Amino acid sequence: MDLTELKTDDKTALEGSWIEYGDAKFLVRHTNTKAYRKAIQKAGKGKAPSQLRKNVELQTNFGIEVIVDAVLLDWEGLTKDGKNFPFNRKNAFELLNLSEPIRNFIAEEAQEVANFQQEGEADDAAAVKSKS
């Protein structure tokens, strides 16, 4: 494997990439950013690692907090009771608490290198991924 296939575009990693999920789109930042590392530190403050390992609810809340603070930047196409469901911190917490599949999708896509590469590099990475 050529290590250049693992390189992300710094601007795209920080500013995010639009990822489609059904009829909705989510603007997702890469997990390999300073903002992500800071969000992990903030969410983990005052929590012992042993607490997180033993308590699924704490793990879930920790993950949601990190996604809201550093990964999920915006969305389009979400409604609630037939009305536009705008992106903001409160609504992001509501969505991620409500839908484990969407929460897992966003977390996985935030780690996917191909989502944050320049066009040619993304095509090469996708080809390598399909071969493995």
Side-chain angles (χ1 to χ4, degrees):
M1 174 193 293
D2 187 334
L3 295 180
T4 57
E5 295 167 359
L6 303 175
K7 174 100 173 85
T8 59
D9 177 60
D10 292 340
K11 183 177 180 190
T12 304
L14 185 61
E15 294 178 2
S17 181
W18 284 100
I19 311 296
E20 293 183 13
Y21 183 92
D23 294 336
K25 291 187 346 182
F26 297 93
L27 183 59
V28 176
R29 180 186 285 148
H30 193 354
T31 54
N32 189 21
T33 63
K34 189 175 183 176
Y36 182 78
R37 290 186 292 277
K38 280 185 172 183
I40 287 176
Q41 288 177 332
K42 178 183 167 200
K45 199 167 204 140
K47 297 176 184 90
S50 60
Q51 285 179 301
L52 289 171
R53 281 193 298 275
K54 295 176 186 176
N55 188 318
V56 174
E57 186 176 341
L58 271 179
Q59 289 173 17
T60 300
N61 292 337
F62 176 87
I64 289 171
E65 187 175 340
V66 171
I67 291 170
V68 169
D69 286 345
V71 173
L72 184 57
L73 304 175
D74 199 358
W75 64 57
E76 294 177 358
L78 291 182
T79 59
K80 182 178 178 183
D81 299 325
K83 296 179 182 172
N84 181 44
F85 190 60
F87 175 80
N88 58 47
R89 185 176 168 78
K90 178 180 173 276
N91 288 350
F93 272 103
E94 181 178 343
L95 171 68
L96 297 176
N97 274 299
L98 179 69
S99 177
E100 183 177 355
I102 290 176
R103 181 175 66 237
N104 291 340
F105 171 78
I106 291 169
E108 290 169 14
E109 292 297 318
Q111 297 176 56
E112 184 60 49
V113 171
N115 290 333
F116 307 97
Q117 292 179 319
Q118 292 180 347
E119 198 74 28
E121 292 172 338
D123 293 342
D124 293 344
V128 169
K129 184 178 177 183
S130 68
K131 290 178 185 176
S132 47

